[in-house]
Amino acid sequence: MSQLVFDPSKVMDIDYTKRTEYLDRLEALRAGMRTLKEVPFHPSLPDKGYTNRTLYVNVDSLEVKEKPVTQQMKDVFIGGRGFGLYQLWNAVKPTTRWNDPENEIVISPGPVAGMTQYAGTGKSLVVSLSPQTDIPIDSNVGGFYGPLLKFSGFDGLELQGKAAKDVILFVDGVKGIIRLEEIEGGPEDSHVLAELLTHLYAEGEKDLPNVSVVSTGAAAKHSLIGMLNFSFYDRRRKCVRFKQAGRGGIGTVFRDKRIRALVVRGPKVAGDMNHPVDPETIAKTGIKYHKEIRENDGSQCMMRRNGTAHIVEIMDAYDLLPVHNFQYGSHADTHKIDSAYWQQRCTQATVDGCWYGCSMACAKGADGLVLRTGPYQGDMVTVDGPEYENAAGLGSNCGVFDPDYLLELNFYCDTYGICTITWGTLTAFVMECYQRGILNKERTGGLEMTWGNAEADLEMMHQLARGEGFGKIAGMGVKKMKEYLIKQGWGDPQLINDIGMENKGLEYSQYMSKESLAQQGGYALTNKGPQHDEAWLIFMDMVNKQIPTFEDKAEALYYFPLFRTWFGLNGFCKLPWNDVVPADNSSQPEAHKVPEHVQNYVDLFSATTGVKIDKEELIVQSAKVYNFQRVFNIRMGKGLREHDAAPYRSLGPVTKEEYESRAERYDQQIITEMGLDPAGKSTEEKMALHRTWRTDRFSKLMDSVYARRGWTSNGVPTLARLKELGLDAFPEVVEVVKQHL
Amino acid sequence: MKQLVIDFQKCDAGRNCNHECELECAIKVFKVDDPAQAALQIKAYEDGGGKAVLCDQCGDCVVVCPSEALKRNKLGVVMIDKQLCVGCYMCIGFCEKDAFMRNPDWIVPHKCTSCGVCVKVCPHGALSIVDVPEPAVRII
Ligand code: SF4
Ligand code: SF4
Ligand code: SF4
Ligand code: SF4
C-alpha cells in the first residue's frame, strides 16, 4: 500500500459554523427544572495531580458527601479506572446487578488527566456494573468533564441510588456549589440536551468552554447498550461536541438511575492546574511530542487529517476488515468509506483535540450533514468523523458503504446514546440471521434487514429510541438476542452461537480476529469483554508482523493488557502512544512497544505525582488493578476460564462460503499446521479439521497466557500472585480467590 | 502584515555587537534581563556567517492553538492573549521556525510582536520591519 497524500484542494467546501440550533427551547427547559438540594463546598485545585477527595452523590436519598482519597488508594489503584473499580467493589455485593440501587457509576479522571502539554491527557474513566455482562465495565472517554471535575476539587464522582424522577447533578467548581435538580419534560437526546445545558450553566459566552455535560439519549432507557456522551465545547465551530463512554451499557445504568445529565462548570483552564512536581520535564516532553506529530503524522497515520479511519483501507488490504458480520475481510466498495474519502469529507480547518494540548487531534468532525430520517429529519448537524470502529462497524460489517448513511447512523447512535461498536456488531448479526433465514420480514416486524440496507438499519434504531418493535429486541444486544432466537426455535442453535459475536455478553469490536491468534486472545482473554482497549494486537500481529511466534503472542497478551490498563489509571488516551512513532522507532529494541513513548509516560507520571517509577514499575502498577478487576469478575460470578470462551466465528470459518473465500490459505494450513493433505477432502471435512485445530490452538494459548499472568488454568489469580502485588492486604479479595483454588 | 526581517549581509551573527537586539528585546519587550528569552535568537556558525531564529508571522501557530489565544492584530501580527492561553505549547511544537519561545519560569509562551524595538539598537542596521501580504491560512 502506498502512503496517502493529503490534497487540501479536494476537501469539500462545507461551512463548519452552520448547523441547526435548539437554543429556542432553553426557556421551556428552565421552566421544567426545580432545585432538590444545594450543598456548598470548597473548590480546590489538585496538588501533584490529586485533589485528595472524591464526591459521593446518592440520587435517591440526595445524600452528598466528600470522601478522602487515602494513600493506600493512590499506592494500589493510582486513580481513574483503579479508583472506579475500588469504589465500585466497596459499593456492591456479589449479588448486586446493574439495576440495583447500590450499583454505582464512578467517573474518575486520574492523576495525570488535565495536563495540557502532552497529547491525550484529558480522559475520564467510567466504571459500573454492566447490564450486558453483569461484571464491571470500564470505559475511557474524552471530553472535558473529568478534567473540569478535578479542577473543581474532586478526583472522582460516585453516583449511587435510583431517583424517582429525572435529575441533573450540577457541580459548580467556581462558586463551590453542588446542586441536584429535578427535571420534567425537556429533551433527552444528547445533541439537543447538552447544547441547552451548556448554555444554561455557562455564565456568558466566554464561559462555554468551561462547562461540560455528561448525558445519553432516548435509546439508552429502552436497551442494555446505552452509552454516555461527554461533551466539550468546540470554539471554532461554536458548538457542543462529544466523546463517548461507549462499551457495556453504562448509559443504560445512567437512565435506570434516572439521571438525565451531569454538568460541571470548572474554572478557566491554565497550564499548571495539576501543580505537578516537575513542570519543566512535562513541558519538554510535551513539546518534543508535538514536534514528532508535526514531522511524522503526515507520512504515518495522518491522524490529524482522518483520525483513526486510516485503518479502514489497511484492514481491507490485509483481508482483516470485518465484512458481513465478520464473515469476510475485504469488500470491493471499501474505497467509498476509506480515509481518502474522509479526508475530503471532514472539516480540516478546525482544531480537533478532545482535550487541550492534543496535537494528535483525531476527533475529526463532518459538518453540514442534513439528516434524511428520524425525529431530526431535515436538521443540519455536525457528526464525528467517523472513527475506524464506526466506519467498520456501522459500515462494512453491515455492508453499508454509503458514507452519508454511515454518518447518519453514527449521528443517531450518538444522540440516542447507544454504542456505535455494539450497534454495528449486533446489526451485522441481525443481518446475517436475515441472510440465513433465521430472521425474516415477518419476524422483524417488517424490517428488511438485508446487507447494506441502511434505511432498515436506521429504522431499527429509531424503533429502539421509541421503545418499540424489533428495535427493542435488537437493543438487548447479541447475547440476549441469541437466547431469544433459540427460545423462539428459529435457526440452528449452534450456528446462532457460532456467529453471534459476543463474549461475556459484550459485542466484539471491529477487527477480524479469525486469522490473528494474538487478537483472538486479545478479545476473549480480557477482563471486561471483547474490545480493543485492553489488547489491540492485530496490527502488530498481522500488519507489522512483530510477534511471529506462539510465545511472542502469549507474551504480548501478558504485557499489552497491562501496559494499556495504565492509560486508564492515569487519564491518558491510548492513541498518542503508537498512532505516531519516532522516525527511528523501527530500529529500536522492542519496537512494537514504542520504547521512547513508554519513557515519555514514565516521565510524565513521575513529573506529575513526584512518585518515581520506571517502565517495569509501570507494569506493576497496572497489574495490581488488572488482577483486582479479574478477582472482581470472579466475585460477581464470571472471570473464569469458561467465561473466556470465544464464539467460533472469531476463531475460524463457520460457513462453507467463508472457508471457500480463503480456501487457498486454509488448505495450506492443513498441510503446514496439521501435517495432512487437503486433496480429495470436502469443504465440510476441511472445516472440521480447522475447527479442531483452531479451538485446540486457542485453548493452548489460554494455558500459556494464564500461566504468564500468574493465574491457574481456570483463570484465577494465584495467592502467590496476589501477594506479589500486595493485594493480600485486602482480605475480601483473598477470600474470593480462595474459593476457587 | 508587519514582519521582522534580517539581512545577513549586514548582521555579523553577534561577533562584534554583543547581541544587542536580543538583549533589548528581552529587557524592553519581555521585561527580563536574559537574552535567551528574546523573541529572536542570533546564532553564529563556526565557519563564519550565521542564522537567525525569528518569527515571520506566518500564522501556523494560530491554526493549531486550541484555545483561540492566538490571533492576528490589525497590523497582521500574531499576538497571544495570556488570559486565554492554556499552556499547551502546541504553538511551540508546530512552529517550523522554532520561533515560539518559552521561559521555564512562565507558563505562557511568548513570541515576536514585530514591534521593532530590536531594529533600533542593531549597530549594523541589519534588522528591519517590512510590510508584506498575509500568507493564506494553511491546514496543519
Ligand atoms: S488522540 Fe484523539 S481521542 Fe485521543 S485525546 Fe487526542 S483527540 Fe482525543
Ligand atoms: S511563531 Fe512560528 S508559527 Fe507562529 S507566526 Fe511566528 S513563525 Fe509562524
Ligand atoms: S500554549 Fe497557549 S498560545 Fe500556544 S497553542 Fe497553547 S494555548 Fe495557544
Ligand atoms: S520585533 Fe520586537 S518582539 Fe520581535 S524580536 Fe524585535 S524586539 Fe523582539
Side-chain angles (χ1 to χ4, degrees):
Chain A
M1 284 184 62
S2 57
Q3 170 73 36
L4 184 63
V5 178
F6 172 63
D7 180 352
S9 70
K10 285 199 180 143
V11 179
M12 294 178 195
D13 186 18
I14 295 169
D15 184 349
Y16 63 81
T17 62
K18 275 213 184 103
R19 67 192 53 77
T20 304
E21 283 196 358
Y22 305 92
L23 290 176
D24 55 350
R25 302 186 194 175
L26 205 53
E27 276 319 305
L29 179 81
R30 209 192 307 260
M33 289 172 66
R34 184 171 75 85
T35 298
L36 293 171
K37 186 171 186 175
E38 194 171 287
V39 184
F41 78 101
H42 291 290
S44 66
L45 286 174
D47 175 39
K48 304 188 198 84
Y50 291 98
T51 65
N52 295 312
R53 59 179 170 170
T54 62
L55 177 62
Y56 169 92
V57 176
N58 188 308
V59 294
D60 178 28
S61 69
L62 306 185
E63 183 185 1
V64 174
K65 66 179 175 199
E66 292 178 9
K67 288 184 176 180
V69 168
T70 62
Q71 192 57 43
Q72 187 190 47
M73 277 170 78
K74 293 194 209 174
D75 292 345
V76 180
F77 299 100
I78 310 295
R81 171 174 161 191
F83 278 11
L85 288 164
Y86 175 66
Q87 293 190 315
L88 184 66
W89 176 293
N90 292 330
V92 302
K93 304 189 287 284
T95 49
T96 305
R97 288 296 167 257
W98 69 275
N99 52 359
D100 288 324
E102 69 260 28
N103 186 20
E104 289 193 341
I105 296 171
V106 191
I107 301 174
S108 175
V112 173
M115 174 187 283
T116 58
Q117 291 79 20
Y118 199 81
T121 47
K123 297 291 184 169
S124 305
L125 281 294
V126 195
V127 175
S128 188
L129 286 183
S130 159
Q132 294 193 268
T133 64
D134 292 321
I135 51 177
I137 184 82
D138 60 271
S139 205
N140 179 324
V141 57
F144 285 14
Y145 190 85
L148 293 180
L149 181 75
K150 190 160 91 168
F151 297 156
S152 297
F154 299 107
D155 289 333
L157 166 65
E158 273 175 279
L159 296 160
Q160 204 176 32
K162 280 165 88 155
K165 286 187 179 167
D166 279 13
V167 294
I168 291 175
L169 173 69
F170 174 51
V171 176
D172 188 330
V174 182
K175 292 186 177 154
I177 294 168
I178 297 162
R179 193 158 70 221
L180 275 156
E181 291 165 301
E182 197 174 271
I183 168 165
E184 279 225 34
E188 272 184 90
D189 294 335
S190 278
H191 81 291
V192 184
L193 180 63
E195 176 180 309
L196 295 182
L197 292 178
T198 302
H199 283 267
L200 187 64
Y201 290 99
E203 303 210 343
E205 187 91 4
K206 285 209 174 104
D207 199 28
L208 291 167
N210 304 325
V211 173
S212 175
V213 177
V214 179
S215 62
T216 178
K221 71 168 180 245
H222 302 300
S223 72
L224 299 179
I225 61 169
M227 135 299 246
L228 292 179
N229 284 302
F230 280 55
S231 80
F232 62 104
Y233 187 74
D234 184 322
R235 295 175 197 245
R236 302 291 207 281
R237 290 183 170 88
K238 303 206 184 311
C239 76
V240 171
R241 296 185 59 204
F242 302 108
K243 296 296 276 185
Q244 292 78 24
R247 305 311 317 276
I250 307 176
T252 301
V253 181
F254 195 79
R255 290 306 282 137
D256 186 62
K257 294 189 174 304
R258 301 217 46 183
I259 303 171
R260 183 80 68 88
L262 310 172
V263 186
V264 66
R265 173 174 175 251
K268 197 194 77 62
V269 174
D272 57 352
M273 290 172 90
N274 270 330
H275 294 117
V277 290
D278 177 6
E280 189 55 18
T281 293
I282 294 174
K284 284 187 174 140
T285 312
I287 292 167
K288 180 183 74 163
Y289 187 83
H290 294 328
K291 287 195 167 140
E292 195 182 311
I293 290 266
R294 167 163 68 82
E295 284 161 10
N296 301 344
D297 183 53
S299 59
Q300 294 182 7
C301 302
M302 305 184 91
M303 298 292 282
R304 291 179 62 82
R305 296 286 78 86
N306 46 241
T308 53
H310 68 282
I311 315 174
V312 172
E313 59 265 30
I314 302 176
M315 289 294 124
D316 188 81
Y318 282 82
D319 209 13
L320 298 168
L321 183 75
V323 171
H324 295 178
N325 195 30
F326 303 90
Q327 293 185 74
Y328 312 111
S330 57
H331 196 283
D333 288 335
T334 300
H335 64 95
K336 294 181 183 166
I337 57 164
D338 66 6
S339 64
Y341 176 77
W342 298 117
Q343 288 192 355
Q344 299 167 23
R345 180 63 184 83
C346 289
T347 296
Q348 298 293 357
T350 51
V351 171
D352 289 317
C354 71
W355 173 244
Y356 298 116
C358 189
S359 40
M360 182 157 270
C362 80
K364 301 306 293 174
D367 294 288
L369 180 75
V370 178
L371 299 168
R372 289 188 266 185
T373 72
Y376 305 102
Q377 187 176 12
D379 287 6
M380 185 191 278
V381 296
T382 292
V383 56
D384 273 1
E387 298 178 40
Y388 164 76
E389 294 288 336
N390 303 348
L394 303 170
S396 60
N397 215 1
C398 297
V400 173
F401 292 96
D402 175 324
D404 278 351
Y405 268 132
L406 209 163
L407 287 175
E408 183 151 344
L409 284 159
N410 199 343
F411 170 80
Y412 272 115
C413 277
D414 287 354
T415 201
Y416 282 157
I418 51 177
C419 171
T420 46
I421 295 174
T422 302
W423 187 260
T425 299
L426 73 80
T427 304
F429 174 66
V430 167
M431 286 179 167
E432 188 173 353
C433 288
Y434 203 90
Q435 174 201 327
R436 302 193 184 282
I438 300 166
L439 286 171
N440 53 40
K441 213 169 157 180
E442 200 182 315
R443 291 173 182 176
T444 61
L447 296 173
E448 278 185 82
M449 298 305 294
T450 50
W451 297 116
N453 189 347
E455 283 174 30
D457 186 350
L458 278 160
E459 181 48 28
M460 185 164 83
M461 202 189 302
H462 297 317
Q463 285 182 354
L464 178 59
R466 298 191 299 264
E468 294 170 9
F470 189 76
K472 232 184 137 176
I473 290 168
M476 298 188 304
V478 168
K479 181 167 195 283
K480 300 220 161 43
M481 257 199 288
K482 289 197 298 193
E483 290 161 12
Y484 169 82
L485 297 174
I486 293 168
K487 200 165 152 222
Q488 299 289 319
W490 299 340
D492 167 20
Q494 178 173 344
L495 178 68
I496 291 173
N497 282 320
D498 280 350
I499 65 174
M501 289 290 280
E502 60 83 21
N503 144 298
K504 302 180 184 70
L506 192 71
E507 287 74 9
Y508 274 65
S509 73
Q510 309 302 334
Y511 293 95
M512 263 246 313
S513 56
K514 249 182 282 196
E515 317 309 342
S516 163
L517 180 62
Q519 191 58 49
Q520 290 166 21
Y523 273 140
L525 309 183
T526 46
N527 267 334
K528 60 184 177 251
Q531 26 65 42
H532 48 290
D533 177 33
E534 272 176 57
W536 182 67
L537 301 180
I538 197 160
F539 215 86
M540 64 179 72
D541 193 20
M542 304 303 290
V543 180
N544 292 341
K545 308 219 184 308
Q546 289 158 317
I547 44 174
T549 67
F550 185 86
E551 289 70 31
D552 292 338
K553 296 180 209 299
E555 179 61 23
L557 283 162
Y558 163 74
Y559 175 82
F560 287 102
L562 294 183
F563 177 65
R564 294 168 70 98
T565 290
W566 194 80
F567 293 118
L569 306 183
N570 284 290
F572 278 118
C573 172
K574 296 174 299 290
L575 304 184
W577 160 56
N578 72 344
D579 275 317
V580 72
V581 294
D584 66 350
N585 186 59
S586 62
S587 63
Q588 299 299 313
E590 299 196 296
H592 60 307
K593 293 183 179 175
V594 199
E596 186 178 320
H597 288 180
V598 175
Q599 190 57 44
N600 287 352
Y601 289 116
V602 164
D603 294 343
L604 294 172
F605 177 85
S606 298
T608 301
T609 62
V611 178
K612 286 265 172 290
I613 61 164
D614 54 21
K615 63 182 201 292
E616 287 77 26
E617 179 60 21
L618 180 157
I619 294 298
V620 174
Q621 288 184 331
S622 285
K624 292 179 187 173
V625 176
Y626 196 80
N627 282 276
F628 178 81
Q629 188 167 1
R630 182 74 176 182
V631 178
F632 201 161
N633 286 352
I634 299 171
R635 179 182 181 227
M636 301 310 294
K638 282 191 180 169
L640 302 176
R641 189 183 183 105
E642 61 180 297
H643 306 112
D644 287 344
Y648 187 61
R649 172 66 57 75
S650 74
L651 303 182
V654 173
T655 65
K656 229 175 136 180
E657 309 93 87
E658 261 171 282
Y659 190 99
E660 279 159 6
S661 74
R662 295 184 162 142
E664 207 176 309
R665 174 192 337 218
Y666 292 149
D667 283 357
Q668 191 60 31
Q669 285 172 336
I670 292 179
I671 303 169
T672 55
E673 305 291 336
M674 302 170 224
L676 299 168
D677 183 3
K681 292 193 170 60
S682 69
T683 304
E684 284 79 2
E685 284 167 331
K686 292 190 285 190
M687 281 165 63
L689 287 175
H690 264 272
R691 190 159 185 138
T692 309
W693 171 63
R694 283 167 181 262
T695 328
D696 184 53
R697 189 177 59 155
F698 180 71
S699 183
K700 287 200 178 98
L701 182 72
M702 255 185 190
D703 291 336
S704 301
V705 173
Y706 287 173
R708 182 66 183 90
R709 288 181 182 176
W711 298 354
T712 69
S713 63
N714 196 22
V716 181
T718 60
L719 286 176
R721 181 68 173 140
L722 294 185
K723 200 153 188 252
E724 185 184 19
L725 296 169
L727 290 174
D728 57 337
F730 301 89
E732 274 190 46
V733 172
V734 175
E735 264 326 294
V736 170
V737 164
K738 271 190 178 159
Q739 289 165 25
H740 294 273
L741 293 175
Chain B
M1 90 192 171
K2 298 284 182 212
Q3 187 186 58
L4 176 68
V5 289
I6 187 162
D7 180 353
F8 266 100
Q9 303 291 332
K10 294 179 182 163
C11 173
D12 68 353
R15 287 182 183 85
N16 296 305
C17 75
N18 205 20
H19 293 254
E20 304 292 344
C21 56
E22 291 174 13
L23 204 61
E24 190 76 353
C25 174
I27 293 172
K28 291 270 169 59
V29 184
F30 299 108
K31 319 284 184 227
V32 313
D33 188 12
D34 174 9
Q37 303 311 330
L40 85 167
Q41 297 289 323
I42 309 292
K43 316 252 186 225
Y45 295 135
E46 273 180 22
D47 50 359
K51 70 158 190 174
V53 173
L54 53 78
C55 165
D56 62 5
Q57 311 296 345
C58 70
D60 283 3
C61 52
V62 178
V63 176
V64 298
C65 174
S67 66
E68 298 195 320
L70 296 170
K71 292 242 165 74
R72 284 191 192 276
N73 67 11
K74 280 190 215 117
L75 300 172
V77 178
V78 174
M79 302 291 286
I80 180 164
D81 179 339
K82 290 187 186 176
Q83 287 306 310
L84 287 177
C85 173
V86 297
C88 71
Y89 307 144
M90 292 216 288
C91 47
I92 300 179
F94 280 76
C95 173
E96 290 179 353
K97 293 116 206 166
D98 289 328
F100 222 120
M101 304 297 175
R102 186 179 67 87
N103 179 342
D105 294 337
W106 305 335
I107 353 165
V108 174
H110 60 284
K111 72 179 286 300
C112 171
T113 59
S114 290
C115 66
V117 163
C118 54
V119 175
K120 293 189 198 117
V121 298
C122 174
H124 305 288
L127 292 164
S128 52
I129 297 283
V130 294
D131 211 343
V132 293
E134 255 175 48
V137 173
R138 293 206 306 158
I139 290 173
I140 293 166

